[in-house]
């Protein structure tokens, strides 16, 4: 089943325009701003080694359809979300054949490919009159809701029928509630997935289309789907999970940001209450969500805190809490940058440096996660279990490992005992994945590990063996 295929993955989110050039690297080429910079599908294919070195097993690419070509007050449609023609591909990213080849090469490496898709809107530059005849297949004014920008994101009708954007770029809101429109989209997604052999979808602007649209659409696609439900409340996200298999995990994102990246930081107790307990109360299965700490719509962590211990903690949270981790291109090179487009700088400026400290650290974490999944097949379906909690430290267990998160920052030191379960009459041995230090929990009852959290750094301890005493 496709959900079970996605759960063990670690996804690498790519902005196609800003990942790699077709033929060779140009590290000095422009790498920022709101115009097309030149990344392509052939570029991605050329850099699959880089992604695999990092340990990621799946990619998520930008929307592939042809966008408006205008240079607007917000620049060009380099991100791919400003559709004009749903039946053609974006020529800036390459040809249909390039895309077919990319997915083929991804599959040859036993990796998966997820594509970002938009069903909510087309785009128009400026506030002037709209020439509907240029859009495909929706060529008539009657195919869209009247122009009225969304004012209140918490009002369902407003959110679903209003236009996103503004008079600089207006996003023509398609009448997705109409049966003929739904029929088109079902055929479209079936064809799209079959033509390119995609393994999964990330559906954009989920909140802006009525829920009933999704089940037959997803059914027609026959693949796994993350919906982009941009909301921090697990109740709100949980509701959508009745209509789609999974969602991007904004509730967890906001709690991570509050606990580690923003001041004043919430306590780890509050983090546990909100990010773990409350999420589980409203989301039937938190192991299916797409976890992230950065993406193309939110500021990078390093633009909110410069403390590298806190940053490392967010990465450990990303990798080991319940859910499917998604790494956003540039995280492995410690990119900094606030709101868009600053968070979307092109990766070529990094020289794709696989010796970068953060590349190695992240790669280590991802590979450890993968080896745990191989060793403990239940890993992906098993919820984390809290072992210890205080205001600054949260320790939990997943199959084969113990993870310790700390939000005290790099000037903090903590010492505390953690109770672990040890088989009768044996000693459990754990190894810190970075320092390779060995910890033993003796078979006293209760068995305890004495942990020292130095410089506020996160810990990942893998279970080596239980040796008889
Ligand atoms: C352009 C410029 C920007 C400029 C903007 C007005 O126009 O680039 O600099 O500020 C694409 C492009 C963007 C472009 C937009 C609009 O189109 O990538 O560069 O912005 O032209 C998806 C994609 C996103 C994409 C689109 C549109 C949708 O991931 O990249 O943008 O296809 C809303 C939507 C969400 C959308 C997001 C950008 O905007 O719902 O689908 N993302 C509240 C609302 C959310 C809202 C969010 C951000 O603000 O509830 O619905 O998302 O505006 C929490 C709450 C949340 C709350 C947050 C702020 O706080 O729980 O609900 O979110 O506590
Ligand atoms: Ca809509």
């Amino acid at each position: 089943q496709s959900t079970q295929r996605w759960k063990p993955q670690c996804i690498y989110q790519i902005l196609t325009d800003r990942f790699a050039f077709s033929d060779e690297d140009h590290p000095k080429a422009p790498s920022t701003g709101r115009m097309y910079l030149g990344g392509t599908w052939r570029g991605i294919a050329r850099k699959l080694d880089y992604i695999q070195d990092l340990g990621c097993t799946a990619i998520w690419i930008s929307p592939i359809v042809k966008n408006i070509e205008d240079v607007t007050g917000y620049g060009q449609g380099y991100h791919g979300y400003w559709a004009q023609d749903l039946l053609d591909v974006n020529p800036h990213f390459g040809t249909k054949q390039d895309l077919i080849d990319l997915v083929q090469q991804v599959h040859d490496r036993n990796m998966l490919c997820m594509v970002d898709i938009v069903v909510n809107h087309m785009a128009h530059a400026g506030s002037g009159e709209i020439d509907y005849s240029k859009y495909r297949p929706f060529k008539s004014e009657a195919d869209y809701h009247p122009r009225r920008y969304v004012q209140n994101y918490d009002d369902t009708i407003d959110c679903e029928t209003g236009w996103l954007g503004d008079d600089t770029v207006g996003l023509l809101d398609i009448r997705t509630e109409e049966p003929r429109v739904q029929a088109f989209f079902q055929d479209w997604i079936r064809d799209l997935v079959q033509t390119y052999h995609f393994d999964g979808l990330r559906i954009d602007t989920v909140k802006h289309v009525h829920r009933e649209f999704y089940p037959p659409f997803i059914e027609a696609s026959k693949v796994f789907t993350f919906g982009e439900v941009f909301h921090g409340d697990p109740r709100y996200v949980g509701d959508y999970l009745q209509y789609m298999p999974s969602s991007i995990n904004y509730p967890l994102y906001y709690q991570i940001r509050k606990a580690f990246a923003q001041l004043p930081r919430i306590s780890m107790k509050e983090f546990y209450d909100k990010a773990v307990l409350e999420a589980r109360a409203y989301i039937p299965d938190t192991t299916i969500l797409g976890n992230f700490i950065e993406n193309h719509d939110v500021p990078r962590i390093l633009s909110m805190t410069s403390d590298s211990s806190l940053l490392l903690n967010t990465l450990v949270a990303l990798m080991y809490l319940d859910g499917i981790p998604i790494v956003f291109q540039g995280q492995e090179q410690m990119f900094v940058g606030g709101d868009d487009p600053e968070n979307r700088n092109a990766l070529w400026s990094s020289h794709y440096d696989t010796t970068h400290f953060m590349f190695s650290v992240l790669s280590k974490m991802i590979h450890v996660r993968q080896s745990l999944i191989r060793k403990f097949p239940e890993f992906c379906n098993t919820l984390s279990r809290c072992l210890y909690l205080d205001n600054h430290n949260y320790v939990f267990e997943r199959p084969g490992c113990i993870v310790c998160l700390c939000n005290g920052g790099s000037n903090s030191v903590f010492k505390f005992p953690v109770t672990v379960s040890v088989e009768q009459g044996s000693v459990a041995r754990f190894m810190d994945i970075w320092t390779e230090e060995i910890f033993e929990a003796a078979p006293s009852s209760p068995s305890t590990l004495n942990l020292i959290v130095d410089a506020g750094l996160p810990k990942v301890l893998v279970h080596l063996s239980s040796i008889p005493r």
Side-chain angles (χ1 to χ4, degrees), residues 177-191:
E177 70 280 11
E178 287 195 5
R180 65 178 174 95
V181 172
Q182 293 182 15
F184 163 78
F185 272 119
Q186 287 160 27
D187 289 343
W188 176 77
I189 198 65
R190 191 180 295 116
D191 279 5

Side-chain angles (χ1 to χ4, degrees), residues 95-305:
T95 63
K96 286 188 181 175
Q97 192 59 47
D98 291 343
L99 183 54
I100 291 172
D101 292 347
L102 166 62
V103 182
Q104 180 64 49
Q105 293 190 44
V106 168
H107 289 163
D108 289 347
R109 290 165 183 257
N110 210 9
M111 295 167 73
L112 302 182
C113 185
M114 171 173 281
V115 66
D116 205 330
I117 56 137
V118 187
V119 298
N120 179 61
H121 55 261
M122 306 293 241
H124 171 69
S127 58
E129 209 174 310
I130 300 174
D131 170 14
Y132 289 92
S133 69
K134 71 173 182 190
Y135 298 103
R136 273 217 299 180
F138 303 116
K139 297 179 171 318
S140 136
E141 188 168 357
D143 293 325
Y144 305 93
H145 294 124
R147 189 184 323 202
R148 178 185 53 75
Y149 298 112
V150 175
Q151 302 291 322
N152 180 1
Y153 284 92
D154 290 320
D155 175 318
T156 310
I157 304 281
D158 190 13
C159 201
E160 291 176 1
T161 61
W163 288 27
L164 286 170
D166 52 32
D167 280 343
T168 304
V169 176
L171 302 181
L172 289 73
D173 201 70
I174 302 171
R175 288 192 183 270
T176 42
E177 70 280 11
E178 287 195 5
R180 65 178 174 95
V181 172
Q182 293 182 15
F184 163 78
F185 272 119
Q186 287 160 27
D187 289 343
W188 176 77
I189 198 65
R190 191 180 295 116
D191 279 5
L192 191 99
V193 168
Q194 281 175 5
T195 305
Y196 302 102
H197 304 288
F198 292 122
D199 307 284
L201 307 176
R202 180 265 190 191
I203 306 184
D204 187 61
T205 40
V206 162
K207 292 163 62 170
H208 306 280
V209 171
H210 65 293
R211 291 143 223 244
E212 291 72 22
F213 175 92
Y214 298 112
F217 176 80
I218 292 166
E219 174 61 32
S221 81
K222 299 236 180 316
V223 292
F224 176 71
T225 310
F226 281 130
E228 185 225 6
V229 187
F230 201 133
H231 208 292
D233 187 341
R235 265 164 280 238
Y236 190 96
V237 173
D239 188 43
Y240 278 90
L241 296 176
Q242 299 171 56
Y243 302 86
M244 52 187 54
S246 178
S247 167
I248 300 290
N249 199 348
Y250 268 103
L252 176 65
Y253 165 73
Y254 280 112
Q255 297 308 324
I256 290 180
R257 180 166 146 164
K258 285 183 191 161
F260 299 98
Q262 284 175 325
L263 290 171
R265 297 194 284 269
I266 60 169
S267 72
M268 290 311 286
K269 284 185 171 163
E270 185 172 346
F271 175 81
Y272 177 67
D273 269 353
K274 298 267 169 58
V276 181
L277 298 182
E278 197 178 300
R280 287 179 189 170
Y282 297 102
I283 294 174
D285 177 10
T286 50
T287 66
I288 202 153
L289 298 175
N291 293 352
F292 66 95
I293 51 172
E294 291 183 1
N295 70 29
H296 60 307
D297 291 334
V298 298
R300 296 209 183 249
I301 296 288
L302 283 174
S303 77
M304 294 182 273
T305 175

Side-chain angles (χ1 to χ4, degrees), residues 44-55 109 354 359:
I44 301 174
R46 204 166 59 79
K47 288 287 175 197
L48 290 173
D49 277 346
Y50 173 85
I51 297 170
Q52 268 190 314
D53 280 355
L54 185 60
R109 290 165 183 257
T354 54
F359 189 98

Side-chain angles (χ1 to χ4, degrees), residues 242-433:
Q242 299 171 56
Y243 302 86
M244 52 187 54
S246 178
S247 167
I248 300 290
N249 199 348
Y250 268 103
L252 176 65
Y253 165 73
Y254 280 112
Q255 297 308 324
I256 290 180
R257 180 166 146 164
K258 285 183 191 161
F260 299 98
Q262 284 175 325
L263 290 171
R265 297 194 284 269
I266 60 169
S267 72
M268 290 311 286
K269 284 185 171 163
E270 185 172 346
F271 175 81
Y272 177 67
D273 269 353
K274 298 267 169 58
V276 181
L277 298 182
E278 197 178 300
R280 287 179 189 170
Y282 297 102
I283 294 174
D285 177 10
T286 50
T287 66
I288 202 153
L289 298 175
N291 293 352
F292 66 95
I293 51 172
E294 291 183 1
N295 70 29
H296 60 307
D297 291 334
V298 298
R300 296 209 183 249
I301 296 288
L302 283 174
S303 77
M304 294 182 273
T305 175
S306 56
D307 186 305
S308 50
S309 279
L310 292 170
L311 175 71
L312 286 168
N313 274 279
T314 65
L315 288 166
V316 168
L318 170 67
M319 282 305 146
Y320 299 101
L321 286 171
D322 315 345
I324 306 170
I326 307 173
V327 174
F328 177 44
Q329 67 169 61
Q331 272 182 270
E332 72 283 14
Q333 300 287 345
M334 281 177 93
F335 275 17
V336 188
D339 289 326
D340 108 56
E342 271 79 42
N343 53 356
R344 302 177 179 185
N345 287 352
L347 199 63
W348 44 79
S349 66
S350 72
H351 296 75
Y352 307 96
D353 181 4
T354 54
T355 64
H356 191 289
F357 159 74
M358 195 51 78
F359 189 98
S360 331
V361 169
L362 196 51
S363 167
K364 176 92 191 189
M365 284 190 229
I366 299 173
H367 284 103
V368 166
R369 180 173 198 275
Q370 249 113 52
S371 70
L372 287 168
I373 292 171
R374 273 193 302 272
K375 230 162 141 186
F376 304 93
E378 75 280 20
F379 185 93
C380 300
N381 296 313
T382 309
L383 295 175
S384 62
R385 194 171 69 89
C386 181
L387 296 181
Y388 176 87
L389 187 61
D390 67 27
N391 282 333
H392 286 297
N393 299 282
Y394 165 40
V395 183
F396 60 89
E397 178 182 56
R398 289 290 293 277
C401 67
I402 290 174
V403 178
C404 177
L405 297 175
C406 172
N407 76 344
S410 45
N411 293 324
S412 60
V413 180
F414 298 96
K415 254 189 198 171
F416 48 85
V418 171
T419 307
V420 296
S421 45
V422 173
E423 262 170 60
Q424 268 291 299
S426 37
V427 185
R429 294 170 71 233
F430 295 88
M431 187 183 72
D432 182 314
I433 66 168

